[in-house]
Amino acid sequence: MSSPARVLVVDDSPTMRGLITAVLNSDPEVSVVGQASDALEARAAIKELNPDVVTLDIEMPNMNGLEFLDKIMRLRPMPVIMVSTMTHQGANATLAALEIGAFDCVGKPSPGDARPFLDLAEKVKAAARSGLRRKASPPAPAITPSAEYRVGRKVVAIGSSTGGVEALITVLQNFPKNCPPTVITQHMPSTFTKSFAERLNRLCAPVVEEATDGARLQIGKIYVAPGGDRHLEVVNPSAPSCRLVEREPVNGHRPSVDVLFDSVATLAGRNAVGVILTGMGRDGASGLLTMRRAGARTIGQNEKTCVVYGMPRVAHEIGAVEQQLPLGAIGEEILKLTAARKEGVE
């Protein structure tokens, strides 16, 4: 970017506003142009300052962050990064915000956190580059499981990051109850993934759950990698199952999409479908290439429908993506690639 990303910081706590401002202003490519303590002040500041990005506290007096976010997305769409407490209740509110159209979320630091808001500046810069975000359309209702769909023997692996909450809902709501075993790594704080899996389980026909160590891969089940200190792999060809592995972050992430994709390539080879969705950075690109070289079918989300065309772009550039598709077509294509052949199961 030729000029710094201009940010409005909205939080009812003067301490938190000061901390966020200090963290952002320490990056020469970011400039905090204003602060607001509630939605009313924020509305006036947005009109006066026209910031590139807003950081928005979910819990505020008068009008909470979710209500204000909804108004922003309807009346003046712009990139918004939600700031949330790292609690189960905060996770549910954050997921709702991401569905409304927030660009991304960050957790408030815990006491004694030596490096608070470590990745906030990078997210702000990516949000500024993304331009306006319009309010997300309500996800289409889950399809009625088709009597014509017969699942084959393939495993599906999906990786996503920024924008992934909306994207995954869109893709998975196309899955019938008897979907192929599906494993997902979505970059998300550890306190959010369980709530996200529960949310997907309510919205989708298959069973969706947070992956646990040793869980057997089953038809009709989707497994979401838990955030935090372990990577998700799939292992054991005779009885495919999830394995949670304590390793250093890969590409700055734990869990890492590359780790998941590499394990699927080893386990399933050509009996797999790999999908890389919207997200910053390059995590998953190398692993998707490994999957393709092992014979798997691979799909990348196209630029037009990505919130951030980062991970899919790198995957496409290195030859990992067999076909690029708009988000709305990916779920149906996965089902085509995983269906059993009419003359017999693949």
Side-chain angles (χ1 to χ4, degrees), residues 8 20 50 75 87 96 122 142 149 154 168 173 185 240 246 270:
L8 173 67
I20 293 172
N50 192 28
L75 303 175
T87 64
E122 289 303 317
Y149 178 78
K154 285 185 168 63
L168 286 167
Q173 284 200 317
T185 289
E246 294 184 3
R270 66 184 182 86

Side-chain angles (χ1 to χ4, degrees), residues 18-319:
L19 178 58
I20 293 172
T21 297
V23 169
L24 292 179
N25 280 339
S26 67
D27 189 312
E29 297 179 356
V30 180
S31 174
V32 175
V33 296
Q35 297 183 10
S37 62
D38 59 26
L40 295 178
E41 288 184 12
R43 183 171 60 183
I46 288 172
K47 290 180 179 179
E48 178 186 352
L49 300 171
N50 192 28
D52 299 315
V53 182
V54 172
T55 69
L56 179 60
D57 183 18
I58 285 184
E59 300 163 354
M60 295 189 302
N62 300 323
M63 180 188 298
N64 68 40
L66 287 180
E67 292 177 292
F68 186 50
L69 174 67
D70 184 65
K71 288 183 180 296
I72 291 175
M73 291 300 157
R74 284 190 291 107
L75 303 175
R76 193 186 178 115
M78 63 190 307
V80 177
I81 296 176
M82 305 304 295
V83 181
S84 170
T85 55
M86 302 290 278
T87 64
H88 184 77
Q89 182 178 359
N92 288 331
T94 299
L95 292 171
L98 292 170
E99 290 180 49
I100 290 170
F103 178 84
D104 208 338
C105 64
V106 294
K108 289 187 175 181
S110 55
D113 192 337
R115 301 184 70 185
F117 297 117
L118 180 61
D119 58 352
L120 179 57
E122 289 303 317
K123 291 186 176 185
V124 162
K125 289 185 284 187
R129 288 191 296 267
S130 75
L132 296 179
R133 292 281 327 277
R134 300 207 173 273
K135 181 181 176 182
S137 300
I143 63 170
T144 302
S146 172
E148 297 181 1
Y149 178 78
R150 292 190 303 124
V151 65
R153 293 179 178 174
K154 285 185 168 63
V155 173
V156 176
I158 304 175
S160 53
S161 186
T162 306
V165 168
E166 293 177 45
L168 286 167
I169 290 172
T170 299
V171 170
L172 298 179
Q173 284 200 317
N174 282 281
F175 279 26
K177 190 173 183 179
N178 61 331
C179 74
T182 300
V183 285
I184 296 171
T185 289
Q186 156 72 34
H187 298 155
M188 186 174 280
S190 59
T191 51
F192 290 5
T193 47
K194 182 175 178 58
S195 294
F196 182 45
E198 291 170 351
R199 176 68 174 156
L200 289 173
N201 190 53
R202 291 192 295 270
L203 292 172
C204 304
V207 173
V208 185
E209 60 188 29
E210 191 176 45
T212 56
D213 193 54
R216 290 280 297 272
L217 299 192
Q218 299 178 39
I219 290 171
K221 280 198 171 184
I222 299 170
Y223 307 83
V224 178
D229 57 3
R230 292 183 291 178
H231 296 283
L232 172 62
E233 297 180 339
V234 289
V235 295
N236 193 2
S238 61
S241 57
C242 298
R243 181 170 69 184
L244 300 179
V245 184
E246 294 184 3
R247 280 175 50 189
E248 290 300 308
V250 175
N251 301 315
H253 297 285
R254 188 171 53 200
S256 162
V257 181
D258 270 335
V259 172
L260 175 63
F261 284 175
D262 285 344
S263 72
V264 173
T266 300
L267 175 87
R270 66 184 182 86
N271 289 317
V273 175
V275 182
I276 193 161
L277 301 176
T278 174
M280 291 192 297
R282 60 180 302 117
D283 189 33
S286 174
L288 194 69
L289 181 60
T290 302
M291 287 186 67
R292 188 174 188 188
R293 287 173 172 169
R297 310 298 296 271
T298 61
I299 299 169
Q301 186 177 348
N302 69 0
E303 181 175 5
K304 185 176 181 180
T305 62
C306 278
V307 172
V308 178
Y309 187 57
M311 290 158 50
R313 176 185 61 79
V314 178
H316 178 67
E317 289 175 350
I318 66 174

